Amino acid sequence: MLVARLEPRPTELHPTNAALPRFDRTTFHLSNLGCPLMVCVLMKVHVIVMPKQSVLDPQGVAVRNALKDVGLETVESVRVGKFLELEFKTPPGEMKLEEICRDLLSNPVIEDYRIQYHSTAEASE
Amino acid sequence: MKIAVVQFPGSNCDQDCLRALTDGLSVPAEYLWHKKTSISGFDAVVLPGGFSYGDYLRCGAIARFSPIMRAVVRAAKEGMPVIGICNGFQILCEAGLLPGALIRNQSLRFVCELVWLRVETDETPFTARLGRGSLLRMPVAHGEGSYLADEATLATLRSNGQIVFRYVDESGRVTQESNPNGSMLNIAGICNEARNVVGMMPHPDRAWDRRLGSEDGKLLFESLVGTLESAGAG
């Protein structure tokens, strides 16, 4: 099995539209490699959830203080958020993804999120 | 009359709530597993405290999507009394039945202590028998109980009288020292606009017998029973 990695630049979508890279569950041939390969494109979606700027982040304050204690005196502020990696063979629609980010992965009262689309291609003979 | 105590995976105050109702008040109450999709036959719902789904993602974030919650939301919108205690309060906020959110205590400490609460309104099914301004003693036990909402929401809560309980000192004054978690306006409990859904961080379910250190929590459940009786739920 040969695994090829396509590395398109991540597309950030926040909070609304930007072009979604067109990686559907597609198979095609890499004929220029001399042999036909079936390529299945996986889409990785990264969701970054951060406390809103207006919300006090006591965890971030504690980490900042610890950083100062270990000698990083120049650190001004730290905010602690979450990083989620979702993997799809069949990516959901943009609307659906926004919906799950808003309703489940983040709480809009206290958090902001952003979505990054990546993709990896797995090819096999 | 029958009251439902919902059990989520990770609930740990379900037994306290059930015993408060059945032993403390001799009111019929039953557990309702979160996979159930109907609450027909019940007259009120208690969402108990605990760590539903291990508090993964955010407190209450996953429980909010449990099958039973669809029925709870529907019943709440039709006027059924619903109370969320501690984790139950967090679930109600996540479900959008109550405004605002509960975030990590400002001290970063898990607080586990007896507090004083002041009753801010008697216009909910759970405070109907309590005088406005009366003081209650009951425990808090949480790591994420700091109530937060934006200015507009806080203003609405105030003008509608939706703040149900506030943390106070033993003489009933709202002070910074009496706020165990950093909640805005010392808010310990709120209700929805229709006033039938109440969420609170302190535990009335752990204060219904003198042996527990306080009986004040019983007053909330008595209020509920009184409200249901006068509404005709025999």
Side-chain angles (χ1 to χ4, degrees), chain A:
Chain A
M1 186 197 232
L2 179 142
V3 176
R5 272 185 181 268
L6 306 177
E7 291 186 356
R9 294 168 64 173
T11 313
E12 292 217 354
L13 292 181
H14 180 253
T16 50
N17 309 330
L20 211 169
R22 295 209 155 270
F23 289 117
D24 284 329
R25 189 183 189 180
T26 315
T27 55
F28 57 92
H29 290 101
L30 288 181
S31 51
N32 59 347
L33 292 182
C35 59
L37 292 170
M38 298 295 282
V39 177
C40 177
V41 178
L42 285 177
M43 176 172 272
K44 272 189 185 170
V45 174
H46 292 164
V47 178
I48 298 150
V49 181
M50 293 299 291
K52 273 187 197 295
Q53 281 298 334
S54 57
V55 171
L56 177 74
D57 174 21
Q59 243 190 132
V61 173
V63 173
R64 185 199 62 190
N65 294 345
L67 288 173
K68 284 183 183 287
D69 287 345
V70 296
L72 197 68
E73 280 132 27
T74 53
V75 63
E76 293 294 334
S77 80
V78 176
R79 298 182 79 72
V80 180
K82 295 189 193 87
F83 182 94
L84 298 102
E85 187 173 80
L86 287 62
E87 211 169 60
F88 299 97
K89 280 183 178 160
T90 310
E94 197 182 326
M95 296 272 282
K96 184 69 190 168
L97 205 49
E98 291 283 344
E99 185 188 316
I100 61 157
C101 285
R102 194 184 58 233
D103 294 346
L104 176 60
L105 301 184
S106 79
N107 179 344
V109 177
I110 49 172
E111 294 166 325
D112 291 321
Y113 64 86
R114 51 182 203 272
I115 302 172
Q116 294 177 334
Y117 295 91
H118 300 259
S119 58
T120 56
E122 288 199 0
S124 58
E125 267 184 82

Side-chain angles (χ1 to χ4, degrees), chain A residues 62 82 103-107, chain B residues 57-58 64 94 106 108 148:
Chain A
K82 295 189 193 87
D103 294 346
L104 176 60
L105 301 184
S106 79
N107 179 344
Chain B
L57 204 54
R58 291 179 310 281
R64 171 254 161 117
E94 283 284 342
Q106 231 167 68
L108 289 176
L148 180 144

